[in-house]
Amino acid sequence: MTPAFLYALVGIVLFSIGLYGLILYKHLLRKILAINILGSGVFLVMVALAARTGDAVPDAVPHAMVITGIVVAVSATALALALMLRVDAETGQAVLPEDREE
Amino acid sequence: MRKIKLKILEKKPSLFTRLTLGILMFLLAASLAYAVWSLPTQALGLSAEVAKNVEMSGVSNPVTAVLLNYRSYDTLLELGVLLLALFGVWSLGGVSANKSSFVNPILDFLSRFLVPVFILFSGYLLWVGGFAPGGAFQAGAVLAAAGVLLFLNDWQLERKYSGFSLRFVLVLGLVLFVAIGFGFVFLDRVFLEYPPQLAGGLILLIEAAATLSIGISLAALFLGRDPSVKSDSKIDTGVHK
C-alpha cells in the first residue's frame, strides 16, 4: 500500500465520521463542525490521489482545487456560524426548525 | 453576548439510531475505500499537461500556474464567494462584540511582536508563490491570522477607515482580476488569457491584490459584523422575548 492510498483511506474515514455527526446531532454548531470534518476528508482524498505520479511532481490541478476549496469552506463556515447565531437569537435554540423543542 | 448552549436539550440519540447509522457509515466507508482501492496506483492525471505549459504560464510553481493561469476562473469565482459570504455575514446584522474588560498581557505583548512578523511573512509567501509552495491564499490566510490576533486584543479599525477604505480593499482583488481578465479581451485574447511574456508580472499583481482582499475578508469574517456599524446598535430581530 502506497502512502497515497493510506492518506486517501484516512480521508474516507474522516468523511464518514463527518457525515455521521452531521446526521446524528441536532445542534447547529455540531453540524457545522461535522461538515468541516467531512470536507477535510474530501480534501485529503483529493490531495492524496493527486500524489499517484510515482517520482514525478504530484498533479497540481487537484492541489489548486483543494486550496480554492479550503477558502470556500472557511467562508461558508463563517456564514454558517453567523446564521447559527442569528437562529439562536431568534428562537433561543441553535437547531433546525424540525428539531426544535417547545 | 448570550452564550450558545452546546448541550441544549439534546437527548442522546437512542442506541438503535446510533448503531444503525454507524453500520451505514461503515458500509459507506467500505464501499468508498473499495472504489479508491480499485484505482490504478499510478496516475499522472493532468500533471503532464501542467508541466508542458508551465513555461508559458509566467510562474514555475505548478500549483500557482493552475490557480492563476490555467484555471483562473476558479480563483476568480472563489474571490467572489468569499465576498458574498462576507456580505451574508454583514447582512445578518452581526454578532454583538464579545467584550472582555481584561486584556491578556501576554497576548498583548505577543501580538505587538507577532503582527509585523505575520505581515512580513505574508509578503514572503506571496512572492515565493511564483516558484515554490506559497501564493495568494496562503499569504492571505497569514494576513488574516494577524487580523484575528489584533481583534483578540480588542483592537478596532479606526472609523475613518471602516467605510470606503475597507470596502475598497475588500473588492480590490476581484475588481483587478476582472479588469485584467477583460483587459486582454480587447487585445484579441479570450477572457482571463494573459500574453506569456506579461503573465508573470500580471499574476504577481493579481495575487498581491487578492492577498490583501482575502486576508482582510477572512479577518472581517472573524469579526462577524460590519465595522462601520456601531457595535452596540443591535439590529432589531423582531422577536420580543
Side-chain angles (χ1 to χ4, degrees), chain B:
Chain B
M1 192 178 119
R2 218 156 47 80
K3 285 276 186 313
I4 297 287
K5 302 178 288 289
L6 188 61
K7 272 202 200 147
I8 47 163
L9 332 134
E10 191 157 330
K11 286 184 243 107
K12 202 170 185 186
S14 69
L15 184 67
F16 174 74
T17 319
R18 280 180 290 151
L19 211 61
T20 318
L21 196 58
I23 291 168
L24 277 176
M25 288 306 124
F26 179 77
L27 291 177
L28 176 73
S31 49
L32 284 175
Y34 175 74
V36 164
W37 197 257
S38 41
L39 289 172
T41 48
Q42 290 271 326
L44 288 179
L46 291 167
S47 53
E49 279 82 356
V50 169
K52 205 163 59 191
N53 295 308
V54 85
E55 270 167 23
M56 278 174 65
S57 70
V59 288
S60 60
N61 176 9
V63 177
T64 306
V66 173
L67 275 174
L68 269 304
N69 204 327
Y70 307 153
R71 296 188 59 93
S72 41
Y73 234 131
D74 290 0
T75 310
L76 176 68
L77 292 177
E78 182 255 322
L79 288 175
V81 168
L82 191 56
L83 212 54
L84 274 180
L86 183 62
F87 292 160
V89 169
W90 281 3
S91 69
L92 285 167
V95 190
S96 56
N98 195 6
K99 278 269 179 289
S100 58
S101 51
F102 173 70
V103 176
N104 188 332
I106 300 171
L107 189 62
D108 187 62
F109 170 78
L110 261 183
S111 331
R112 280 164 207 276
F113 172 68
L114 280 178
V115 166
V117 177
F118 275 29
I119 293 172
L120 194 67
F121 188 57
S122 167
Y124 166 76
L125 277 177
L126 169 65
W127 176 254
V128 89
F131 49 88
F137 296 119
Q138 292 86 335
V142 173
L143 201 60
V148 168
L149 262 184
L150 286 174
F151 288 136
L152 286 178
N153 278 304
D154 274 350
W155 177 82
Q156 282 184 326
L157 190 64
E158 271 186 63
R159 285 198 67 77
K160 61 177 173 182
Y161 297 127
S162 63
F164 176 77
S165 312
L166 175 67
R167 282 156 178 75
F168 177 78
V169 179
L170 285 176
V171 300
L172 182 67
L174 192 62
V175 168
L176 195 73
F177 211 149
V178 174
I180 290 176
F182 268 121
F184 288 102
V185 170
F186 299 108
L187 300 171
D188 280 345
R189 288 176 185 274
V190 294
F191 182 53
L192 289 173
E193 182 195 351
Y194 325 124
Q197 63 274 22
L198 290 179
L202 287 175
I203 286 177
L204 188 63
L205 188 65
I206 293 171
E207 281 206 299
T211 298
L212 268 181
S213 294
I214 292 170
I216 306 294
S217 302
L218 289 176
L221 281 174
F222 176 79
L223 186 63
R225 60 182 169 77
D226 185 353
S228 63
V229 178
K230 275 213 181 74
S231 60
D232 49 339
S233 67
K234 291 259 317 192
I235 288 185
D236 186 14
T237 55
V239 176
H240 305 284
K241 293 199 199 95

Side-chain angles (χ1 to χ4, degrees), chain A residues 23-97:
Chain A
I23 296 172
L24 202 62
Y25 295 114
K26 290 178 181 166
H27 198 285
L28 287 174
L29 185 58
R30 288 179 193 266
K31 282 192 190 291
I32 294 168
L33 288 174
I35 291 175
N36 272 282
I37 294 172
L38 185 153
S40 305
V42 175
F43 294 150
L44 191 55
V45 171
M46 286 184 76
V47 170
L49 292 184
R52 293 175 298 145
T53 47
D55 295 330
V57 189
D59 190 359
V61 177
H63 282 226
M65 283 176 167
V66 167
I67 291 184
T68 310
I70 287 171
V71 178
V72 171
V74 167
S75 34
T77 303
L79 182 58
L81 288 172
L83 279 168
M84 180 196 78
L85 289 172
R86 185 62 184 266
V87 166
D88 186 73
E90 298 273 352
T91 65
Q93 297 173 30
V95 293
L96 293 173

